[in-house]
Amino acid sequence: MTSRKPKTIQTMKPATAAKKLGVYLEATPAEFQEGVVSRDELNALQAEPPVWLQELRRNGPHPRQVVADRLGVSVSGLARGGVTEALTTEQIDALKAAEPEWLQRERATQAEVRRETVRIKEKQKQQAAARNGR
């Protein structure tokens, strides 16, 4: 007979779980912030988000990565624009409506980065095809 080790429960820190859920840790309930989250608990939160998680995802405050995505800029672009705090959906919408100069500039920079990434991938694809065709 072979002996099997009992399955260990994989856990993560609240900060990791919040990042995976796309929410700002400081805005989560205290019991979430103070404990550890198992993989099964994370999966359950993703499958059937409780009211507090739905509310955070809808209205914020949102972590910088989510703010950057919603504004169409990089996290570095947010910092260059002076945005260092978590923002609510209302604040993000106000920034979009106001379109300050830094936001326009960072969106243009982000668009250029995306174009350059596509150009490089196409070039690599052509080079690989040329190598395979020889």
Side-chain angles (χ1 to χ4, degrees):
M1 241 201 267
T2 60
S3 62
R4 289 190 163 175
K5 290 182 182 178
K7 187 177 178 181
T8 58
I9 297 173
Q10 188 178 20
T11 60
M12 62 192 82
K13 295 178 182 177
T16 304
K19 187 173 184 178
K20 289 180 180 289
L21 292 169
V23 295
Y24 185 58
L25 178 62
E26 286 76 14
T28 60
E31 61 270 10
F32 182 86
Q33 293 179 38
E34 294 165 1
V36 293
V37 180
S38 72
R39 175 67 63 188
D40 290 339
E41 290 169 332
L42 179 68
N43 291 339
L45 287 170
Q46 290 172 325
E48 293 183 34
V51 174
W52 65 264
L53 182 54
Q54 292 174 23
E55 185 66 24
L56 274 178
R57 287 178 169 169
R58 187 178 314 114
N59 298 317
H62 304 287
R64 286 187 319 209
Q65 184 59 53
V66 172
V67 174
D69 289 345
R70 289 186 178 194
L71 290 174
V73 300
S74 67
V75 173
S76 299
L78 281 180
R80 285 189 294 270
V83 178
T84 57
E85 300 296 318
L87 299 179
T88 64
T89 300
E90 188 177 312
Q91 291 168 316
I92 293 168
D93 291 343
L95 268 175
K96 284 180 180 178
E99 276 202 8
E101 184 181 323
W102 71 265
L103 181 56
Q104 294 173 27
R105 186 175 55 250
E106 291 301 332
R107 282 180 169 171
T109 299
Q110 191 70 4
E112 182 59 36
V113 167
R114 287 185 186 119
R115 280 192 296 275
E116 184 65 9
T117 301
V118 169
R119 185 191 69 76
I120 291 170
K121 283 184 181 180
E122 283 299 316
K123 184 178 179 182
Q124 290 171 343
K125 193 185 300 182
Q126 289 172 355
Q127 289 172 340
R131 277 193 303 273
N132 293 335
R134 287 189 220 170

